[in-house]
Amino acid sequence: MKFSPLLAELISSLTCLPGVGNKSAQRMAFNLLERNREGALKLSSVLHNAMEHIRHCERCRTFTEHPVCEICQHPKRNSSGLLCIVESPQDVVAIEQTSSYQGMYFVLMGHLSPIDGIGPADIGLDELEQRLQNEPIEEVILATNPTVEGEATAHYIAQLCQQFDIGASRIAHGVPVGGELEYIDGNTLTHAFSGRRKL
Amino acid sequence: MKFSPLLAELISSLTCLPGVGNKSAQRMAFNLLERNREGALKLSSVLHNAMEHIRHCERCRTFTEHPVCEICQHPKRNSSGLLCIVESPQDVVAIEQTSSYQGMYFVLMGHLSPIDGIGPADIGLDELEQRLQNEPIEEVILATNPTVEGEATAHYIAQLCQQFDIGASRIAHGVPVGGELEYIDGNTLTHAFSGRRKL
């Protein structure tokens, strides 16, 4: 005998959380039972609600419990003519935290990866094509991750933009602000030099 | 704007888990929404069930969804005459994993700590007293933690046992098996020397 059946089930269910193994799950289960049953009941109901109601925004594909998310409903953003393409809703959050961008988003929920069988339709590029066709978009800002797949996806979308005669730009790659040159990897330094700007 | 209201609520609810801060909670929320909605729904229902039904065993105070836990119901263990006192249900699990102990348990769910206002009644010592009085217990094994509070609790219970003429023993403190002497702290070494046994 180790745990009572229900306790064992609770521990194994907690391991569905990313980064939580068996030992952490045990610690969580005992901690909740001993100290925070109310918090756990709240988590249970919010978890259920969220999984039932949070879907993708019909326009930008980010997570929201409404048919269209708050950013897409924003009139000023809608008339900005800027569309930023990112890979995940977390990227939207990161960009929003800077408060420096006031345009719209389109969330791919992934990147092109033929080796995993992820093609243009899987990352919503047909929906993006329709938006490029029907909306008054002036510039597409490609903010996919600086990985091989992210770059390939950015190039693919840039070509798509060309078809509709819409300008596409890629966010700058270079030395992070506050970083020290001697610790920056060579690849990033190369990008920083080739992307240099006149003062 | 950062998150949709429901998503923000999910993230803040996830921080009720021990060791989970805001950033980990975000990662968990997005991961569940993107990849494991079924697991999350399962977790939600198990969490609710566990918090509603898991109570303390009426005899040993460990966590169980039954009135009396499996160990306390075991006839062989009941007739063993051994009662092991531990501080938490996790300690029971750790001891059970060794399969070397076949007696009963009593779980204090804490330790004596006058500074925090935790007295004998708060760690169930009145229930323990009744068991010592009414059950044919031959030996009480004190397996509280080797901390100041744990030692104080062990001494208190040892005195209780004396009143009922029941032998009390303390688990051995010394060098952990597989440890190297040079890395063991002085306090533990002192214990190991004073607790030496004839070969």
Side-chain angles (χ1 to χ4, degrees):
Chain A
M1 172 271 165
K2 277 184 63 189
F3 298 108
S4 76
L6 189 53
L7 191 51
E9 205 185 347
L10 174 61
I11 291 169
S12 91
S13 298
L14 280 166
T15 57
C16 82
L17 298 169
V20 175
N22 207 37
K23 201 75 195 172
S24 311
Q26 277 181 36
R27 197 166 65 92
M28 286 176 172
F30 283 116
N31 183 291
L32 292 176
L33 284 167
E34 275 170 35
R35 267 164 256 225
N36 200 356
R37 290 189 185 229
E38 266 180 43
L41 284 171
K42 174 93 194 296
L43 173 60
S44 159
S45 84
V46 172
L47 206 51
H48 185 267
N49 250 342
M51 295 304 139
E52 291 289 314
H53 296 121
I54 293 182
R55 294 278 166 266
H56 294 286
C57 168
E58 287 170 10
R59 288 193 67 205
C60 76
R61 293 173 35 110
T62 195
F63 285 125
T64 176
E65 65 264 34
H66 306 297
V68 174
C69 75
E70 274 184 57
I71 295 182
C72 289
Q73 282 176 359
H74 201 290
K76 211 173 125 195
R77 282 168 175 263
N78 267 316
S79 60
S80 68
L82 291 171
L83 183 67
C84 176
I85 316 270
V86 292
E87 289 188 21
S88 73
Q90 290 97 305
D91 299 336
V92 173
V93 175
I95 297 173
E96 283 299 295
Q97 273 172 346
T98 69
S99 312
S100 62
Y101 175 70
Q102 292 296 324
M104 293 171 289
Y105 290 97
F106 188 84
V107 183
L108 302 172
M109 302 300 297
H111 45 233
L112 286 178
S113 179
I115 212 166
D116 302 313
I118 299 174
D122 301 303
I123 56 169
L125 292 192
D126 36 4
E127 292 169 47
L128 178 64
E129 214 172 314
Q130 283 197 326
R131 283 190 71 174
L132 293 179
Q133 199 159 21
N134 302 328
E135 293 180 24
I137 293 166
E138 287 159 24
E139 183 182 351
V140 167
I141 301 172
L142 297 158
T144 52
N145 290 330
T147 56
V148 176
E149 293 91 350
E151 292 292 347
T153 310
H155 274 103
Y156 188 95
I157 298 174
Q159 284 177 340
L160 210 66
C161 293
Q162 255 184 347
Q163 284 178 30
F164 297 99
D165 227 4
I166 294 172
S169 60
R170 182 92 173 99
I171 53 167
H173 294 146
V175 179
V177 179
E180 289 186 53
L181 275 198
E182 77 179 289
Y183 299 113
I184 306 289
D185 67 295
N187 218 335
T188 303
L189 267 184
T190 311
H191 265 100
F193 271 84
S194 68
R196 68 187 181 278
R197 298 204 299 191
K198 278 207 171 129
L199 285 176
Chain B
M1 174 269 164
K2 279 184 62 187
F3 299 107
S4 76
L6 190 51
L7 191 52
E9 205 185 347
L10 174 60
I11 291 170
S12 92
S13 298
L14 280 165
T15 57
C16 82
L17 298 169
V20 175
N22 207 37
K23 200 77 194 175
S24 311
Q26 276 181 35
R27 197 165 65 93
M28 287 177 171
F30 282 117
N31 183 292
L32 292 175
L33 285 167
E34 274 169 37
R35 267 163 256 223
N36 199 356
R37 290 190 185 231
E38 267 180 43
L41 284 171
K42 175 96 192 298
L43 173 60
S44 159
S45 85
V46 172
L47 205 52
H48 186 267
N49 251 341
M51 295 303 139
E52 291 287 316
H53 296 121
I54 294 182
R55 292 280 166 267
H56 295 286
C57 167
E58 287 169 11
R59 288 193 67 206
C60 76
R61 294 175 32 111
T62 194
F63 286 126
T64 176
E65 65 264 35
H66 306 296
V68 174
C69 76
E70 275 183 56
I71 295 182
C72 289
Q73 281 177 357
H74 202 290
K76 210 173 124 195
R77 282 169 175 261
N78 267 317
S79 59
S80 68
L82 291 172
L83 183 67
C84 177
I85 316 271
V86 293
E87 290 188 21
S88 73
Q90 290 97 307
D91 298 336
V92 174
V93 175
I95 297 172
E96 284 300 294
Q97 274 172 346
T98 68
S99 311
S100 63
Y101 175 69
Q102 291 296 325
M104 294 169 289
Y105 290 97
F106 188 84
V107 183
L108 302 172
M109 302 299 298
H111 45 233
L112 287 178
S113 179
I115 212 165
D116 302 313
I118 299 173
D122 301 305
I123 57 170
L125 293 192
D126 36 3
E127 293 169 46
L128 177 64
E129 214 172 314
Q130 283 199 326
R131 284 189 71 173
L132 293 178
Q133 199 159 20
N134 303 328
E135 293 179 25
I137 293 166
E138 287 158 25
E139 183 183 350
V140 167
I141 301 172
L142 296 159
T144 51
N145 290 329
T147 56
V148 176
E149 293 91 350
E151 293 292 347
T153 310
H155 274 103
Y156 188 94
I157 298 173
Q159 284 177 339
L160 210 65
C161 294
Q162 257 184 347
Q163 285 177 31
F164 297 99
D165 227 5
I166 295 171
S169 60
R170 181 93 175 99
I171 53 167
H173 294 146
V175 180
V177 179
E180 289 186 53
L181 275 199
E182 79 180 284
Y183 298 114
I184 306 289
D185 67 295
N187 218 335
T188 303
L189 267 184
T190 309
H191 265 101
F193 272 83
S194 67
R196 68 189 181 277
R197 299 203 303 192
K198 279 207 171 128
L199 285 176

